Amino acid sequence: MILRSFLDRFLLAVFWSAGLVILLVLTGIIGYLLLRGGSSLTLEFLTTAPKGLPLGTGGGVLPAIKGTLMLVLIAVLAAAAPGLITAIYLSEYGESSKFRALVNITIQCMAGIPSIVTGLFGYAFFVVYLGFGISLLAGGLSLGIMIFPVIVLTARDALLAVNEQYRLAGAALGVSRWYMLHRVIIPQSAPAILSGILLAMGYAAGATAPIMVTAAVISAGMSGGLMEPVMALPYHLYILFSQHISMEKAYGTALLLVLLLLFLNVTALLLKGQHGKGGY
Amino acid sequence: MSVQVKNWSVFFEKNPVLQNIDLEFNGNGIFAVIGPSGCGKTTLLKSINRTAELDHGFNCGGTILLNGEDIYQKNDAASIRRRVGMVFQTPVALPMSVRENVLFGPRYFGEKNKQKLSDICERSLKQAGLWEEVKDKLGQPAGELSGGQKQRLAIARALAVEPEVLLLDEPCSSLDPASTMLIERLLTQLSGTLAIVLVTHNLFQAKRVAHQTLLMMAGQVVEYGPTEQLFSKPSRQETADFISGLTW
Ligand SMILES: Nc1ncnc2c1ncn2[C@@H]1O[C@H](COP(=O)(O)OP(=O)(O)OP(=O)(O)O)[C@@H](O)[C@H]1O
Ligand SMILES: [Mg+2]
């Protein structure tokens, strides 16, 4: 008995400290970024273009913010609808068919493709083959390919998590699957699906590899044309840092990027926390 | 209303679950199905409204006739499910209001007239003996009802599409005695106008409410007849053993 309660306490301590370590790492990163980049994160930094020679030693990151937002928007527009349709197929239709098993495996594999490989594919297909050139569109679509499996898998699991009894009760009434889907299953899983989409957006916003070869440049105007190259936060950060242009600005950019991702992830978590609430 | 099951067998993958079942329910009334756990009661029930085939690996042989019509002949399971309602062991309240739960079927089948919908809602809830308790909270989430109320709501939802047969799979197994009594009284009332098939683990319940009782074991019919007779003068030794509690 005594031994058992000791084991319980010991395990509790282990799990608790594991949580603590994660918390410390996260606050450590953010704290360090605040320390190094906090001072450069000013209103001017957010609202002006980079200046100076070499470019980036002065000014701000406004075009990169815009570029990242546009890239993420295009990625989500391209990936969300096909992702949801695939997820619905995987969770609701094609039971026990070989094709469904194949689709499941394909999506898992897609999720495991390194993002630089997605970038190379985007380069070969969008930039060269389709002739988009280094452009917002090519980068957004490459990011779309990258986040597609994330959206499918989170949405599929959200749909599968809906109480199976509902489906059976609906079937026993003789209503169609689509009616069940749009009146019960999708509304029930919507918060978790949206949360998955937000996580995917965060993933796209922070990804550097796929846009490095398809969309991002050191300096671009703010025309926002689909076929124009763009600036983007992670790439800007990479250049500032790797070419020793300005450590201060690099840390400011990193802080901004982390805050953006944190915002997306916390919103996603809050949404997911809503799941199953609302009295029903 | 008549339900005829002829030489009916069900397999999941290669495993036989029901073997050559023959039985016939005629007219309204309550038909109880009893038998040990795993003998195939649920599968038999789900065969009658074509929901068994939703499970992976389902295979069947034989025929089931509803008023003489072979329900497995057409490819249209939905129309059979509409005619044969089913209520499950765990009460299922759909995540919407009490009213929308009841109107879930009618809305799907195209009823748009507000007055008619509200009539259907009231009629079904009254038939299910739930009206008095919920008439002032029709707009509230059905999830807030008690277990017994949810089960009667499930009955109301099934009745709202005016089925010819109502199947109930151990509807009282998660309910307290008072709710159970309420549902038994309700089933007795409904049996005047509806054919009811009731799977139950409670032999006393079968004795109290059923006009006919069927005993199944290991996927086969052991004995079938008027409840009174099955319990007082069983014609098979297995039946006598089962109802005296020896084999379950
Ligand atoms: N979907 C399925 N796939 C495989 N086997 C199944 C499936 N459904 C039921 N079975 C098997 O068929 C047999 C009968 O199951 P069924 O649920 O009809 O029994 P039951 O009489 O309702 O039991 P209980 O009283 O415990 O509810 C069991 O052995 C079960 O394992
Ligand atoms: Mg059962």
Side-chain angles (χ1 to χ4, degrees), chain A residues 99-119:
Chain A
F99 183 64
R100 181 171 80 168
L102 186 71
V103 174
N104 255 320
I105 293 173
T106 312
I107 303 286
Q108 296 281 2
C109 291
M110 253 182 108
I113 295 176
S115 56
I116 183 68
V117 176
T118 310

Side-chain angles (χ1 to χ4, degrees), chain B residues 41-42 89 169-170 199:
Chain B
K41 304 181 294 295
T42 299
Q89 188 168 359
D169 192 1
E170 299 178 40
V199 167

Side-chain angles (χ1 to χ4, degrees), chain A residues 45-261:
Chain A
F45 186 69
L46 296 177
T47 53
T48 58
K51 296 189 192 81
L53 252 177
L55 196 72
T57 43
V61 289
L62 182 61
I65 297 177
K66 284 197 173 166
T68 286
L69 293 181
M70 296 285 280
L71 283 166
V72 170
L73 187 71
I74 291 174
V76 147
L77 286 180
L84 289 186
I85 291 169
T86 312
I88 289 174
Y89 170 72
L90 290 177
S91 77
E92 313 292 322
Y93 294 90
E95 284 95 352
S96 70
S97 76
K98 294 234 163 58
F99 183 64
R100 181 171 80 168
L102 186 71
V103 174
N104 255 320
I105 293 173
T106 312
I107 303 286
Q108 296 281 2
C109 291
M110 253 182 108
I113 295 176
S115 56
I116 183 68
V117 176
T118 310
L120 286 181
F121 171 78
Y123 176 80
F125 189 67
F126 299 122
V127 175
V128 179
Y129 182 75
L130 294 182
F132 292 173
I134 301 285
S135 61
L136 176 58
L137 187 60
L141 293 177
S142 302
L143 288 175
I145 292 180
M146 185 186 79
I147 64 173
F148 171 77
V150 179
I151 292 179
V152 174
L153 294 177
T154 51
R156 180 197 68 184
D157 293 346
L159 290 164
L160 286 176
V162 176
N163 191 346
E164 188 58 32
Q165 304 271 353
Y166 294 155
R167 292 184 177 84
L168 196 54
L173 271 177
V175 306
S176 68
R177 283 196 224 205
W178 171 243
Y179 185 71
M180 225 27 227
L181 261 170
H182 91 91
R183 286 212 51 196
V184 177
I185 314 286
I186 293 179
Q188 279 289 293
S189 49
I193 292 177
L194 277 179
S195 144
I197 291 178
L198 283 179
L199 284 176
M201 285 168 71
Y203 181 33
T208 321
I211 55 172
M212 223 152 68
V213 289
T214 55
V217 289
I218 306 172
S219 165
M222 304 227 286
S223 69
L226 271 182
M227 294 309 190
E228 315 268 312
V230 286
M231 291 182 64
L233 286 173
Y235 186 71
H236 188 65
L237 163 61
Y238 169 72
I239 296 296
L240 289 180
F241 175 74
S242 63
Q243 308 198 353
H244 303 283
I245 293 174
S246 162
M247 279 303 157
E248 204 197 339
K249 301 272 179 201
Y251 278 110
T253 312
L255 182 61
L256 180 62
L257 190 57
V258 167
L259 290 179
L260 175 70
L261 298 188

Side-chain angles (χ1 to χ4, degrees), chain B residues 12 17 35-44 55-56 89 169-170 201:
Chain B
F12 283 110
V17 170
S37 190
C39 70
K41 304 181 294 295
T42 299
T43 308
L44 175 63
D55 287 336
H56 178 74
Q89 188 168 359
D169 192 1
E170 299 178 40
H201 265 294

Side-chain angles (χ1 to χ4, degrees), chain B residues 2 24 35 37 78-80 89 98 101 122 124 145 161 178 184-186 192 203 216 224 240 244:
Chain B
S2 83
E24 202 172 323
S37 190
S79 72
I80 300 301
Q89 188 168 359
V98 172
N101 260 274
E122 182 171 342
S124 311
L145 300 181
V161 296
E184 286 183 10
R185 212 177 310 145
L186 171 70
L203 297 186
M216 292 176 62
Y224 173 51
S244 61

